[in-house]
Amino acid sequence: MFFHIVLERNMQLHPRHFGRNLREHIISKLMKDVEGTCSGRHGFVVAITSVENIGKGLIRDGTGFVTFPVKYQCVVFRPFKGEILEAVVSMVNKMGFFAEAGPVQIFVSNHLIPDDMEFQSGDMPNYTTSDGSVKIQKDSEVRLKIIGTRVDATEIDKNISQSRPKWDPAGSHPSRFFCIGTIKDDFLGVINDPTTI
Amino acid sequence: MSLATDSPVNSSSSDDLAAFLDAELDSNSLGSSPEKEAEDKDEDEESIDEEAENEEARDDKDLERIKRRKTQIVETIQERPGPTLLGNLEEKTDMLYCAEVSLEMDNCPHPGSLGGMCYRCGKRLEEESGVTFSYICKGLRLGNDEIDRLRNTDMKHLLRHRKLYLILDLDHTLLNSTLLLHLTPEEDYLKSQADSLQDVSKGSLFMLAFMNMMTKLRPFVHTFLKEASEMFEMYIYTMGDRPYALEMAKLLDPSREYFNARVISRDDGTQRHQKGLDVVLGQESAVLILDDTENAWTKHRDNLILMERYHFFASSCRQFGYHCQSLSQLRSDESELEGALASVLKVLKRIHNIFFDELANDLAGRDVRQVLKMVRGEVLKGCKLVFSHVFPTKFPADTHYLWKMAEQLGATCSIELDPSVTHVVSTDARTEKSRWAAKEAKFLVDPRWIETANFLWQRQPEENFPVQQTKPEENFHAKQMKDQ
Ligand SMILES: [Mg+2]
Ligand SMILES: [Zn+2]
């Protein structure tokens, strides 16, 4: 789920940036530092939408660096238990399947796939109904419900490119959130089948 | 102020997104399909508008109440006058309800977990239980009942597709690797002969500079894997570490059609220096193992097809105490069509055929270990062997590995000479029994005749294993060199 919230952060700036473009420097550094990071408290920062206020700088003794308290608005994303998400299947195996929705990786075990769907191995492993009408395989889009979440926060102080995802069981894409999901309920399941496009 | 337009450093995609969000926020729209927006897709506009209208029609108080509830749940969100929520509010109330319900679902037996959460009920599990199956996915743990359940369903599925399980060792079975550091000067030529890592599907000699290694695939391995994959669900199981196992899997199976995630390394085992079928999700009665190291499989000898070691590099020969020239030093290789993998493929085909087509009993009651035993017992059927100068003095003959091996291959072993004896196995042509064989026109063979039959699953021409006056240490590559 997405939220629009206000956060605060102390930005440390090198003295070489003190000049006409100080504000721009602070803002661009803020975006670089914050967007794409994830904290367990707030979730995944999708984008900064505006800067509300940049407070008075505090000069650090010795280094000349200045710390500015910055108040900004941003859009964050966090998955919740019970939330319905649409996700793209990234890997299928006999244990179930993995799907991705933005920064979230979801595992749906075969316990939570409808009983009439059976695993088929092969070079394109999939779960298929006995009549073959519904098939879940890599790249299928599914609507699922989250029943368990786990958030691995990357420290918000790290740069996006440096923050390495800690949790990636399917070994496919870096994900900031890992969830357990189900498609064993009304209105859940495949919403489009890649083979029929 | 809007950052999207002012900000000097900004990626174009986040530009678009920020602008979009700005617009969205200004127009106070509430309904949306969040993850779609994040990806900057503009579909479903219609339904969003519709939902937004619905929301506006809603009682303001009600809205405020739901918002507050939501805010408490996400305790982290800073309180400020009416934080703007994106997302369908109606869904959110449902969501809260669902969350409560699933929390109450606590008679779940927690069959297995991923990332510390039960994958059936989603609950965080306090203590770690069950066996780790990290090779399937990182952080996967399964309880014993669940393992049994998976084995049963998997087995049914496999048998329906006329397949069994095949566990393959890497080193000395499918390939031979060496550290670049251990290459001898005579092997230096290999560096210029290494195949491209761009398309590994045709190559057999690879330089893996980033691992300081060179790897030679065993002749026939590509054909072997292709044909075996039609009869078996295959696993790699190596005593090497995980990064090595995955690199080798890439060389053997670049398009991931044979092994997929079924690559087990020593990091995945449950016991040190032992390989076990406990981490394989297959019934033991349907598993065959190819490995050159018998001792790794103490609990599963009946499933094991022992492989003759493939030593290509000099370092590999040295490591096993052979003081001879390696295949690489001789600029030679094992035979493609009569080598170990070609021979064993024939055996696998035969076992597969017997298992599915020749046995009379119910499919679920069949045991591939029995079939293996039977096929092995046909190799030296009808041979009666007497040993001479093979066992140390006073060694109880029937406990010697060669005696046992010959019996497993279907031969009868004896300590007495009599007319029914067909072979004298000896290391010295001058012994009494050896001379008796010559006089009575019985076969006189070197012990390697048994071992080779054991590796190749075929009775070998006796004339290729003459008994010499002194122990023939230099015979090591005789068979391998034959076809060069
Ligand atoms: Mg080995
Ligand atoms: Zn559970």
Side-chain angles (χ1 to χ4, degrees), chain B residues 108 110-111 118 120-121:
Chain B
C108 169
H110 307 320
C118 168
R120 188 171 168 274
C121 68

Side-chain angles (χ1 to χ4, degrees), chain A residues 37-43 150-156 158 163-167 175-177:
Chain A
T37 58
C38 182
S39 81
R41 294 186 69 213
H42 306 104
R150 167 190 171 124
V151 178
D152 277 329
T154 52
E155 267 310 301
I156 204 146
K158 283 183 197 152
S163 67
R164 311 212 69 202
K166 289 179 191 154
W167 189 250
S175 296
R176 297 314 203 287
F177 302 100

